[in-house]
């Protein structure tokens, strides 16, 4: 009894002590985003001073208007949306069936394949992007959406497959056998039983892939000559030293990330990531 009471007391103390750390972590994470937003809407006199204030005293949306009226926003924004969405759909289409097959293999084979998937992520993207760009020239894939989508699949496919193997592992094979006994074919048991149960894990994996592709920079700089993605367009203004327009571009680049994360945040739980059913 005393041991249980002590354990309960220690648990409550740990929970109370974690709150300040969580608040500090949230504060440290949010502050850079707030400063970016402030620079994009503040008066230049509030920013270009030796002691800039923390709060925004006077809003100035002229930097945003310049970005909207420049004609340099919509094409990069559309290109990034197409590439990120296309990468996500293709990655799910390829990785989900592959991950299911890997999860149903004997343990020795399964772990060998998973290790090989992780092995492909040990090489830096900056070292792989150059030979890919050289080969893409032969197939006229430079400066095309499909070329960038294929390049983004290289780092993202192993990552998504690795996540989904863990998801399918948690779905009992007895459910498939029960569906087969009830008259369902193997394909019907996959479509009506396995994949619906794996949907939360697939949603989480899709979110990570979309965000990775949306923010990707290395492959874009090698494979994009004229039609920039939004991260490249943002970097262009950063390299020019235009703080206010680059802050506006960065804020616009962040808005879809916040929306996607907010929409799918209910799936960001360990139970969803590892599958909806425990074996």
């Amino acid at each position: 009894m005393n041991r249980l009471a002590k354990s309960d007391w220690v648990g409550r103390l740990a929970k109370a002590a974690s709150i300040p750390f969580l608040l500090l972590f949230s504060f440290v994470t949010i502050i850079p985003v707030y400063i970016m937003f402030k620079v994009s809407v503040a008066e230049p006199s509030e920013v270009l001073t030796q002691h800039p204030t923390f709060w925004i005293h006077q809003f100035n949306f002229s930097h945003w208007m310049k970005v909207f009226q420049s004609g340099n926003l919509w094409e990069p924004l559309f290109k990034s949306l197409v590439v990120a969405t296309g990468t996500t759909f293709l990655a799910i289409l390829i990785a989900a069936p592959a991950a299911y097959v890997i999860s149903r293999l004997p343990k020795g084979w399964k772990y060998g394949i998973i290790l090989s998937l992780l092995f492909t992520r040990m090489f830096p993207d900056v070292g792989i992007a150059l030979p890919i760009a050289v080969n893409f020239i032969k197939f006229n894939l430079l400066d095309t959406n499909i070329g960038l989508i294929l390049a983004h699949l290289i780092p993202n496919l192993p990552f998504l497959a690795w996540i989904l193997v863990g998801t399918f592992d948690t779905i009992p094979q007895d459910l498939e056998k029960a569906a087969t006994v009830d008259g369902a074919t193997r394909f019907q048991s996959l479509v009506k039983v396995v994949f619906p149960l794996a949907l939360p894990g697939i949603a989480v994996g899709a979110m990570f892939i979309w965000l990775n592709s949306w923010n990707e920079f290395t492959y874009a700089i090698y494979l994009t000559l004229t039609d920039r993605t939004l991260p490249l367009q943002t970097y262009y203004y950063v390299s020019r030293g235009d703080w206010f327009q680059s802050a506006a571009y960065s804020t616009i680049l962040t808005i879809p990330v916040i929306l996607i994360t907010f929409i799918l945040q209910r799936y960001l739980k360990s139970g969803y990531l590892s599958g909806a059913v425990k074996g």
Side-chain angles (χ1 to χ4, degrees), residues 151-169:
H152 285 188
L153 285 175
I154 294 171
N156 286 316
L157 266 181
F159 180 67
L160 182 60
W162 178 60
I163 289 178
L164 294 185
V165 167
T167 299
F168 287 117
D169 276 347

Side-chain angles (χ1 to χ4, degrees), residues 179-180 183-190:
T180 306
T185 63
R186 184 67 181 272
F187 180 75
Q188 287 174 327
S189 69
L190 289 177

Side-chain angles (χ1 to χ4, degrees), residues 25 29 34 37 54 65 102 117 160 166 200 204 233 248-249 257 259:
F25 180 78
T29 305
Y34 169 72
F37 174 73
F54 181 78
M65 294 304 296
I102 295 171
L117 290 176
L160 182 60
V204 174
Q233 187 70 0
Y249 271 106
V257 176
L259 290 176

Side-chain angles (χ1 to χ4, degrees), residues 121-133:
R121 296 300 303 128
M122 294 179 183
F123 301 99
D125 290 338
V126 69
I128 301 173
L130 180 59
I132 288 174

Side-chain angles (χ1 to χ4, degrees), residues 4-120:
L4 287 174
K6 184 178 180 182
S7 175
D8 185 53
W9 180 80
V10 171
R12 281 184 291 178
L13 181 64
K15 187 176 180 181
S18 67
I19 293 176
F21 287 104
L22 289 175
L23 291 175
L24 178 64
F25 180 78
S26 301
F27 182 76
V28 171
T29 305
I30 292 173
I31 285 301
V33 179
Y34 169 72
I35 293 175
M36 176 183 69
F37 174 73
K38 177 191 172 181
V39 173
S40 73
V41 298
E43 286 286 345
S45 58
E46 288 187 19
V47 178
L48 301 176
T49 178
Q50 191 172 3
H51 301 289
T53 57
F54 181 78
W55 300 110
I56 304 170
H57 297 286
Q58 189 172 356
F59 284 88
N60 180 357
F61 291 99
S62 63
H63 316 302
W64 284 68
M65 294 304 296
K66 287 179 183 176
V67 169
F68 287 132
Q69 294 171 354
S70 66
N72 296 324
L73 170 67
W74 303 113
E75 288 187 10
L77 178 64
F78 181 71
K79 185 181 181 72
S80 288
L81 282 173
V82 169
V83 170
T85 306
T87 302
T88 304
F89 275 112
L90 268 180
I92 292 173
L93 203 62
I94 298 171
Y100 169 76
V101 172
I102 295 171
S103 74
R104 296 303 187 250
L105 289 175
K107 282 187 178 179
W109 283 95
K110 181 167 67 178
Y111 290 129
I113 294 175
I114 290 174
L115 283 177
S116 66
L117 290 176
L118 295 177
F119 179 75
T120 61

